[in-house]
Amino acid sequence: MPPKEKPRVDCTLKATSPDIGGRKATGSDKLTLVEQRQFIYVRIVRANGLPLNNISGTCNPFVELKIGNYKGITRCFEQTSNPEWNEVYAFTRDQILGGRLEILVRDKESAITEIIGHLSFDLDHIPTRFPPDSPMAPQWYKLEDRNGVKIVGELMLAVWIGNQSDDAFPVAWHSDAAAVSGKSVTKTRSNVYLSPVLWYLRIQVIAAQDLAPADRNRKPEAYVKAVLGNLVLRTKVSKDMNLNPTWNEEVMFVAAEPFDDPLVLSVEDKMGADKDVCLGRSVIPLHQVEKRLLPQPIGDQWITLQKHVAEVEEKTEVKFASRLHLRIFLDGVYHVFDEPTYYCSDLRATSPKLWPEKIGVLELGILKAEGLLPTMSKDGRGTTDAYCVAKYGQKWVRTRTIVDSFAPKWNEQYCWDVYDPYTVVTIGVFHNYHLQEGDKNGGKRDPRLGKVRIRLSTLETGRIYTHSYPLIVLQPNGLKKMGELHLAVKFSCSNWIDLLHTYSQPLLPMMHYLKPLSVYQLDSLRHQATYTLSLRLGRADPPLSREVVEYMLDTGVNRWSLRRGKANCERVMACLSGIVFIWRQFDQIRHWKNSAVTILIFSLFVAMVMSPKLILPAFFLAFFVIGVWRFPKRPRHPPHMDIKLSHAETAQIDELDEEFDTFPTSKQGEALKTRYDRLRGIAGRLMMMIGDLATQLERIHALVSWRDPRATAMFLIFCLIACILVHKVQFKYLVLVTWTYAMRPPRLRVGIPSIPQSFLRRLPAKTDSML
């Protein structure tokens, strides 16, 4: 029996019609791109005068909130009658079945059977509060026993009904995370992060003066070592093997504000393969380094290296240290890349003085996800604790974690200022693996559930796009659809003139073109920036883990991938298909496949040649007509991940295993040999193509090189005759003769190469000199 075909994965973009605030009149101006959901907010502030336990003589109070099927518990205070919690709880209104809110104050010693006191609220009597109303003021409530009798002790709290725009929403414990308790609750909350301001730290090492080597009988092999945090860079060993070496080299770091680590510069003497001796060092705090905010030169300086102290036979010997000549500054006139160039969400320079004008606002509504696949097992069944992360510019946002749901509903809205339309907003979905009790997850990383990219230049201004995006993940065992993410996106333009003006401006700051950095430098600095961002964002609360930051920044985009190589070749061929199509049509016309069309094209060309002023107007008019003709068929939806374009479905398992392999490789034996042989085959074909191109170009150079004296003499005689002919005959008649010859009928053609082709193929190339 033939093997069964794998079922095709539906990875199409689907338009949706959510009930969002931007399409109807709402009571809150903040929620225009999400579905408004009502929450019952309970703020537990503090208690006063709680009675002591009759047995232990102490009071270890905590508060338990019950509403419908949900229960929330505050943290417990030890041995106090006046605890202060200041915690907020949010219960989703449409998920509550019960009709009352129960607030129980319990003692840890007798929490199972007894309560200190309780309060009860009817849900119908809870007031509503929506911004821009002021926050609800907490009040004191006398505690009651189970029979409704007032007892000793009171509790300060506030209860109200609000929505996602409430100030308490980001810091509240949500009923969607009811199974999470303890310190892990903070890791379920939504949050906004800001990337630190990144600078290029440039150290241009010029020379050193009066070095004092450890061994005065040998010439020092000096180099400069620069250390910033965990990163170490070195210059080359100076060719001047004396006491005054010169380098004229530059090393660059990525430094982030606030500047925590100082820069340590040292001059080292390379004594052997594994032995370096420090001849002097200097520690430079970065806040003392000059910042370049405008494209103007920075002066050089001499710094004194600290004296190196060594203890020899219980005696302290102070060795002489010298000076170092350098130019050091924090360069703010470049854009610090933390993303690939074609996925950048911000193209501004570090210096605020070089920022362009704001052109608009990007609004993003993260609505919900559907059909998520289980990522972990809990109590014998699969589950997913999903959250979203979105990045645009320096602002990162993280939604709250919806626990144990394959169809989480976030309905959270965020906005960013836009300075350039040629930027991309990235939204990723992850599973939260850090919700176990005690914050121990066995070192597991948050699995990725998919990613969506939306380029702002593909959006119409002022229009709300609501679509369901497929969440696609490429794994070593093949393509996998993890679910669908529902988003609402709106790009609003505040100044049309500035928006249109950006299309005439350079994409990057000016210094990227006047004094460009090399490709190697940009790649190395981008990895430094990614490493710095992952460290800083990993120290936030809740932290953004390193794997999340790296996935959002596409750190592995430059790794070798046979699948991506095939896709890029097909993209090039698709772009050239128009030229191929025109050539095929022209070939049919000149071979008189349709006599009427051939005569028409010939007549139009003759008219153009006789009236040259019609050529350029006809050229631009043709593009105008094509653009107007395609306007009704213009794309109406944002672009999304295309699995066919990416060759994701047709990729072989071995190709994917190679793509996800580590660098350096972790494979051995036959698998490594097979990949190497395959890569040799691909490189061999590429080598032959480059060789054929080089041969053709060398034959053109051979026309006047006299390598073939007869061919060069013939070519020079032809050039002399052509010069006289072109001078005597008008150019338009020469074009007409050439065109008439190209359009001659098939009966006048011979199926052999033309004279110029035959002549060119006989010219010599340097292929004969290749080994």
Side-chain angles (χ1 to χ4, degrees):
M1 294 180 61
K4 295 183 179 179
E5 294 185 0
K6 294 176 62 177
R8 290 186 60 86
V9 181
D10 183 15
C11 296
T12 59
L13 186 71
K14 302 172 184 176
T16 59
S17 299
D19 187 22
I20 61 177
R23 293 175 176 168
K24 64 177 184 177
T26 61
S28 175
D29 295 333
K30 293 184 178 181
L31 304 178
T32 58
L33 297 182
V34 295
E35 299 177 359
Q36 289 199 40
R37 304 184 69 187
Q38 289 191 350
F39 296 86
I40 299 177
Y41 290 98
V42 183
R43 180 186 297 276
I44 306 295
V45 182
R46 60 179 180 268
N48 184 30
L50 298 180
L52 301 179
N53 189 287
N54 296 329
I55 300 176
S56 61
T58 61
C59 182
N60 304 317
F62 67 92
V63 178
E64 179 181 310
L65 299 90
K66 289 184 178 181
I67 180 170
N69 298 326
Y70 296 98
K71 180 174 68 173
I73 300 176
T74 67
R75 65 186 186 276
C76 180
F77 283 90
E78 300 290 339
Q79 298 182 0
T80 178
S81 298
N82 304 302
E84 185 171 345
W85 292 282
N86 199 23
E87 296 180 6
V88 182
Y89 295 80
F91 300 89
T92 307
R93 185 71 175 88
D94 54 10
Q95 296 178 356
I96 295 174
L97 302 178
R100 298 190 69 82
L101 168 64
E102 299 287 340
I103 300 178
L104 309 177
V105 182
R106 293 183 179 272
D107 186 6
K108 181 180 179 182
E109 299 296 331
S110 57
I112 299 178
T113 58
E114 297 182 5
I115 63 172
I116 297 177
H118 90 290
L119 296 171
S120 178
F121 296 88
D122 191 340
L123 298 185
D124 295 331
H125 296 162
I126 296 178
T128 59
R129 179 257 172 188
F130 298 107
D133 295 346
S134 300
M136 191 69 66
Q139 301 179 23
W140 286 104
Y141 292 87
K142 278 284 188 179
L143 296 177
E144 302 175 352
D145 59 13
R146 292 187 180 275
N147 299 322
V149 179
K150 301 293 183 182
I151 62 174
V152 177
E154 54 186 353
L155 184 65
M156 176 180 280
L157 57 86
V159 182
W160 72 96
I161 295 177
N163 56 23
Q164 303 99 302
S165 63
D166 200 291
D167 298 335
F169 181 82
V171 298
W173 173 94
H174 287 267
S175 56
D176 295 326
V180 181
S181 60
K183 296 181 180 179
S184 299
V185 172
T186 60
K187 298 179 181 179
T188 66
R189 294 171 179 165
S190 59
N191 213 335
V192 176
Y193 308 84
L194 286 179
S195 298
V197 179
L198 300 178
W199 296 79
Y200 281 150
L201 175 61
R202 310 185 71 165
I203 305 117
Q204 298 172 0
V205 183
I206 302 174
Q209 187 181 57
D210 298 333
L211 292 181
D215 186 357
R216 299 183 181 275
N217 296 323
R218 60 179 293 274
K219 295 181 178 180
E221 300 180 15
Y223 68 91
V224 176
K225 181 173 72 173
V227 181
L228 181 65
N230 297 326
L231 299 176
V232 181
L233 296 177
R234 297 176 175 86
T235 67
K236 296 179 182 178
V237 175
S238 175
K239 297 180 181 179
D240 304 324
M241 300 179 66
N242 52 40
L243 303 183
N244 300 301
T246 59
W247 291 277
N248 291 314
E249 287 187 43
E250 181 181 48
V251 294
M252 294 181 65
F253 291 96
V254 174
E257 291 184 348
F259 303 120
D260 298 332
D261 300 314
L263 174 66
V264 181
L265 295 176
S266 61
V267 179
E268 305 282 334
D269 185 6
K270 192 173 182 62
M271 302 289 290
D274 298 322
K275 183 180 180 182
D276 296 335
V277 176
C278 179
L279 303 181
R281 65 195 295 267
S282 177
V283 179
I284 304 175
L286 293 188
H287 66 269
Q288 298 179 1
V289 176
E290 183 178 359
K291 294 180 179 179
R292 183 164 78 156
L293 303 179
L294 293 174
Q296 56 190 17
I298 300 294
D300 55 345
Q301 57 181 312
W302 288 88
I303 62 172
T304 302
L305 300 177
Q306 296 176 357
K307 295 181 179 180
H308 180 67
V309 179
E311 291 187 6
V312 182
E313 296 181 357
E314 298 181 357
K315 293 182 180 180
T316 301
E317 179 186 357
V318 180
K319 298 183 178 180
F320 177 78
S322 61
R323 297 192 304 167
L324 188 62
H325 188 199
L326 51 78
R327 183 180 293 107
I328 177 173
F329 57 96
L330 292 164
D331 202 345
V333 299
Y334 289 84
H335 168 69
V336 180
F337 287 96
D338 56 356
E339 303 162 297
T341 309
Y342 33 87
Y343 296 149
C344 266
S345 60
D346 189 7
L347 300 169
R348 295 173 295 168
T350 302
S351 173
K353 296 183 178 180
L354 301 177
W355 288 1
E357 294 293 332
K358 171 185 168 182
I359 62 172
V361 175
L362 169 66
E363 297 175 84
L364 173 66
I366 304 176
L367 304 178
K368 60 182 179 180
E370 289 182 345
L372 296 182
L373 298 182
T375 53
M376 65 176 292
S377 179
K378 182 179 180 181
D379 299 331
R381 60 182 180 85
T383 182
T384 297
D385 306 331
Y387 67 94
C388 287
V389 175
K391 180 191 184 297
Y392 184 80
Q394 294 184 340
K395 181 179 175 181
W396 301 62
V397 299
R398 171 178 176 156
T399 67
R400 68 188 191 281
T401 300
I402 307 298
V403 177
D404 194 13
S405 175
F406 299 133
K409 294 183 179 180
W410 293 286
N411 284 299
E412 299 184 22
Q413 180 174 336
Y414 302 94
C415 65
W416 292 265
D417 291 336
V418 178
Y419 294 87
D420 195 304
Y422 189 74
T423 46
V424 177
V425 57
T426 304
I427 306 100
V429 184
F430 304 88
H431 167 78
N432 197 334
Y433 241 132
H434 297 76
L435 302 182
Q436 286 76 11
E437 187 66 28
D439 298 330
K440 295 180 180 179
N441 63 348
K444 294 183 179 180
R445 309 172 70 182
D446 287 357
R448 57 189 70 169
L449 303 182
K451 180 166 55 179
V452 176
R453 298 191 196 97
I454 303 175
R455 188 173 296 278
L456 270 60
S457 59
T458 63
L459 305 179
E460 298 178 14
T461 55
R463 177 185 169 188
I464 298 177
Y465 291 83
T466 54
H467 292 86
S468 172
Y469 296 82
L471 294 174
I472 307 169
V473 173
L474 196 61
Q475 299 176 344
N477 56 355
L479 181 72
K480 196 171 186 179
K481 181 181 178 181
M482 306 299 294
E484 295 183 354
L485 179 64
H486 292 246
L487 299 175
V489 185
K490 181 181 179 182
F491 173 39
S492 303
C493 175
S494 58
N495 192 326
W496 269 93
I497 297 178
D498 289 340
L499 174 61
L500 299 178
H501 180 65
T502 57
Y503 284 86
S504 64
Q505 298 302 302
L507 193 64
L508 297 172
M510 180 177 58
M511 292 302 292
H512 280 274
Y513 305 98
L514 299 180
K515 294 184 178 180
L517 302 175
S518 67
V519 176
Y520 173 78
Q521 281 180 305
L522 290 176
D523 189 58
S524 174
L525 293 169
R526 190 172 77 85
H527 282 84
Q528 287 190 38
T530 303
Y531 174 74
T532 303
L533 286 179
S534 61
L535 288 181
R536 291 293 181 92
L537 296 176
R539 292 161 55 186
D541 186 24
L544 274 182
S545 56
R546 180 174 181 178
E547 63 271 14
V548 173
V549 175
E550 291 180 349
Y551 182 58
M552 297 292 291
L553 297 179
D554 285 291
T555 55
V557 73
N558 57 348
R559 290 184 181 177
W560 162 251
S561 169
L562 183 61
R563 170 192 63 83
R564 198 178 290 121
K566 293 178 181 178
N568 290 337
C569 289
E570 286 199 3
R571 290 170 57 197
V572 173
M573 296 305 298
C575 292
L576 298 177
S577 61
I579 300 176
V580 175
F581 174 77
I582 293 175
W583 172 253
R584 288 177 179 175
Q585 294 297 318
F586 174 72
D587 191 61
Q588 291 183 4
I589 291 172
R590 75 188 189 96
H591 283 88
W592 293 72
K593 298 295 183 181
N594 189 324
S595 302
V597 175
T598 302
I599 294 174
L600 175 62
I601 296 299
F602 183 81
S603 303
L604 289 175
F605 185 81
V606 171
M608 292 292 180
V609 172
M610 300 305 294
S611 301
K613 63 180 181 180
L614 297 178
I615 296 177
L616 287 180
F619 176 79
F620 290 116
L621 181 62
F623 275 101
F624 176 78
V625 172
I626 292 173
V628 173
W629 177 66
R630 290 186 176 182
F631 179 76
K633 302 178 182 179
R634 68 190 184 278
R636 303 294 296 173
H637 308 297
H640 66 290
M641 303 289 185
D642 191 336
I643 60 175
K644 183 178 179 181
L645 175 67
S646 306
H647 280 243
E649 282 188 318
T650 59
Q652 301 297 322
I653 298 298
D654 183 56
E655 296 175 3
L656 294 176
D657 188 52
E658 180 184 15
E659 182 175 344
F660 286 93
D661 193 8
T662 58
F663 189 86
T665 181
S666 59
K667 302 294 182 180
Q668 296 179 351
E670 191 64 27
L672 190 61
K673 179 178 178 295
T674 302
R675 293 177 184 176
Y676 177 65
D677 291 340
R678 181 173 60 197
L679 190 60
R680 288 178 64 192
I682 297 173
R685 291 191 293 272
L686 183 62
M687 178 192 66
M688 294 302 297
M689 293 174 59
I690 296 175
D692 292 340
L693 177 61
T695 298
Q696 301 301 327
L697 296 176
E698 287 170 353
R699 284 172 176 171
I700 296 175
H701 282 273
L703 287 172
V704 292
S705 66
W706 293 95
R707 173 56 61 183
D708 185 341
R710 288 168 296 277
T712 301
M714 294 172 63
F715 178 70
L716 295 181
I717 294 173
F718 168 77
C719 290
L720 180 61
I721 297 174
C723 175
I724 298 173
L725 184 63
V726 172
H727 177 70
K728 296 297 183 180
V729 181
Q730 293 188 24
F731 180 73
K732 61 182 178 180
Y733 295 118
L734 293 176
V735 174
L736 282 177
V737 171
T738 305
W739 178 257
T740 304
Y741 176 78
M743 301 292 290
R744 66 192 185 277
R747 67 181 63 183
L748 301 179
R749 298 176 182 273
V750 182
I752 60 175
S754 62
I755 295 177
Q757 286 179 317
S758 300
F759 183 81
L760 191 63
R761 288 176 181 175
R762 292 178 180 275
L763 292 175
K766 294 182 180 179
T767 310
D768 305 333
S769 304
M770 293 284 292
L771 289 176

